Amino acid sequence: MNTEKSGFNTKLIHAGEIHDQFGSATVPIYQTSTFSFESAEDGAKCFAGESNGYMYTRIANPTIDALERQIAALENGFGAVAVSSGMAAATTVYLSLLSQGDHIVSTDAIYGPARGVMEKQFVRFGIESTYINTTDAANVKEAIRPNTKVVYIETPANPTMDMTDLRAVAEIAHQHGCLLVVDNTFCSPYLQNPLDFGADVVFHSMTKFINGHADIVAGIIIAKEEQLYKQIRNMMVLMGCNMDPHQAYMVLRGVKTLGIRIDRAQESALKVAEYLENHPKVAWVKYPGLKSHPQYELGKKQMRGDGSMISFGLKTGYEGAKKLMNNVHLALLAVSLGGVETLIQHPASMTHAKVSAQDKEKAGISDDLIRYAVGIEDVNDIIDDLKHGLDKV
Ligand SMILES: *Cc1c(COP(=O)(O)O)cnc(C)c1O
């Protein structure tokens, strides 16, 4: 069906879908590496770009195409390019948009490996980077140089939950001839559509909310305009970081419940955040849905909900955090987020362990920071589990 004017949850079920000759209700897995041509002339036409028949799965595949059409529709973009992981999405964006001698400005609390690959690998190819606190858009303006080509932000940032004003930063980037790229993993398209606020490219680790079941690693890049879309697709095909058809099928299956999963998780997250905020052993809580979040109003402006990610610290610091992590049983002590299960982890020693002590401090990734990803279990059980763990602190 044509879902152009449909609501978000209808798009989650039907956008991009294909129906085969058997009338299958779901998108079939086209588990094939290659596609045969009807004739030599037909094959030549496909490779000349004069026909849109399928040729080879690294280039395109019907199952992957269905997912790409759907996510592009959810993010209001021209088109999407599915890739093997969230990091493949980040590096494909870097390779597509940056050349030798270029410079990128980015959020200091950006996903750790997305910063690591830039500072340790891309620097070898003459690409410079500056990491700053983007919660103040004026800092972005100040960091832009004549050779800056890309501003790349994450909001809310991981794991500080700091937000960046999408519209303000898009304006600054464009005034200086830069593109704005947003890692929208923490929100998923259900809660935030950065392209609508002026971003040029959005990407997701679909490992998280979009797939939502902690059983797949996957990524996707969505471009607002055709030209950028083609540039990124071309790079993906050449780099060979394509998605696999079975992986696409898993994500197509997981994404259908994105709306109801996030509704449940964020309803619980607010209760969990309030519980933590009122707990005598808790020093601080950062959650976009709490009035105490310094950017509560900005969240209301650009997000349709507060999400299910909470950061907090205990009065007893890292020692207390370890006790808590070792004494919760419902919450899995694991990195990742956005799945149906509740997870707890310590960014300074886990996800962001490779960020230098100095950069961690600058980015606000303090030693006491605990990252908590609320799942869709019963909220009473989640809170009981935290209570049990905090009793041991
Ligand atoms: C997990 C994550 C990534 C990387 O994704 P992978 O699928 O693990 O490669 C990028 N950005 C954010 C915000 C993430 O949480």
Side-chain angles (χ1 to χ4, degrees):
M1 80 180 256
N2 183 340
T3 56
E4 221 167 288
K5 296 202 166 68
S6 306
F8 196 94
N9 285 289
T10 305
K11 285 185 183 163
L12 284 178
I13 310 300
H14 297 294
E17 69 188 353
I18 44 174
H19 294 291
D20 64 7
Q21 69 270 38
F22 307 113
S24 66
T26 60
V27 177
I29 313 176
Y30 288 90
Q31 194 73 47
T32 182
S33 59
T34 195
F35 300 84
S36 61
F37 307 113
E38 274 169 21
S39 64
E41 291 77 10
D42 175 40
K45 265 191 182 167
C46 282
F47 275 94
E50 290 159 12
S51 140
N52 43 19
Y54 291 102
M55 297 163 273
Y56 188 60
T57 283
R58 177 161 49 75
I59 302 170
N61 171 289
T63 313
I64 301 169
D65 271 6
L67 178 64
E68 290 173 336
R69 279 194 302 273
Q70 179 172 43
I71 306 295
L74 298 177
E75 282 287 16
N76 304 321
F78 172 83
V81 179
V83 289
S84 57
S85 70
M87 274 309 293
T91 54
T92 302
V93 166
Y94 290 159
L95 284 163
S96 304
L97 307 182
L98 295 164
S99 302
Q100 188 176 23
D102 288 348
H103 174 243
I104 181 172
V105 170
S106 186
T107 307
D108 51 12
I110 207 89
Y111 182 71
R115 178 172 179 167
V117 73
M118 182 50 69
E119 290 184 327
K120 297 200 177 73
Q121 305 299 331
F122 279 81
V123 69
R124 295 194 291 121
F125 305 101
I127 295 170
E128 301 175 307
S129 55
T130 304
Y131 290 86
I132 51 156
N133 181 337
T134 55
T135 59
D136 184 354
N139 292 342
V140 176
K141 193 168 178 176
E142 211 168 283
I144 290 177
R145 304 179 193 164
N147 61 338
T148 308
K149 293 288 159 58
V150 171
V151 175
Y152 160 39
I153 61 170
E154 197 182 310
T155 177
N158 174 20
T160 58
M161 303 310 290
D162 284 338
M163 290 180 240
T164 295
D165 188 328
L166 288 166
R167 206 181 287 284
V169 171
E171 258 171 42
I172 290 168
H174 294 156
Q175 275 164 7
H176 293 82
C178 303
L179 295 169
L180 177 64
V181 174
V182 180
D183 179 343
N184 202 28
T185 300
F186 260 42
C187 282
S188 92
Y190 187 60
L191 297 182
Q192 181 171 274
N193 289 127
L195 299 182
D196 294 352
F197 290 85
D200 303 284
V201 174
V202 165
F203 75 83
H204 291 274
S205 165
M206 299 199 291
T207 313
K208 318 296 168 53
F209 288 101
I210 291 180
N211 180 58
H213 292 74
D215 50 9
I216 274 286
V217 171
I220 200 158
I221 306 155
I222 306 98
K224 191 171 183 168
E225 307 291 352
E226 182 172 8
Q227 158 55 24
L228 270 175
Y229 162 75
K230 284 188 170 157
Q231 205 174 316
I232 293 165
R233 172 161 292 283
N234 190 36
M235 182 57 72
M236 180 280 286
V237 169
L238 294 174
M239 295 303 295
C241 56
N242 59 285
M243 179 169 273
D244 173 86
H246 186 263
Q247 202 183 1
Y249 163 81
M250 294 290 279
V251 182
L252 280 165
R253 181 180 159 104
V255 73
K256 289 182 204 285
T257 54
L258 179 68
I260 55 174
R261 280 188 279 112
I262 291 188
D263 282 346
R264 161 75 78 96
Q266 70 181 356
E267 191 185 324
S268 300
L270 180 60
K271 290 180 184 155
V272 171
E274 284 169 347
Y275 169 77
L276 288 170
E277 199 166 45
N278 291 313
H279 197 287
K281 291 182 184 172
V282 173
W284 58 271
V285 182
K286 205 90 165 281
Y287 175 64
L290 289 178
K291 292 240 167 64
S292 58
H293 192 297
Q295 296 162 297
Y296 178 80
E297 294 303 329
L298 176 62
K300 291 280 169 273
K301 251 179 29 195
Q302 60 190 27
M303 291 161 66
R304 287 186 289 269
D306 303 313
S308 52
M309 296 301 297
I310 303 170
S311 286
F312 65 100
L314 301 181
K315 289 176 182 161
T316 42
Y318 182 37
E319 286 311 308
K322 278 193 278 192
K323 283 217 178 79
L324 173 64
M325 288 187 284
N326 288 334
N327 284 287
V328 287
H329 303 296
L330 178 146
L332 281 178
L333 177 52
V335 302
S336 198
L337 59 114
V340 291
E341 58 286 299
T342 295
L343 304 178
I344 190 168
Q345 69 115 343
H346 180 247
S349 68
M350 297 175 188
T351 45
H352 294 68
K354 293 216 167 67
V355 180
S356 74
Q358 192 191 344
D359 287 340
K360 269 194 280 231
E361 194 192 320
K362 220 176 121 232
I365 306 166
S366 52
D367 220 32
D368 67 338
L369 192 157
I370 299 164
R371 195 182 79 181
Y372 196 79
V374 180
I376 65 168
E377 302 94 339
D378 286 294
V379 67
N380 294 341
D381 292 331
I382 296 173
I383 291 176
D384 275 354
D385 183 51
L386 274 171
K387 181 179 178 308
H388 175 83
L390 286 165
D391 282 348
K392 297 278 164 73
V393 171

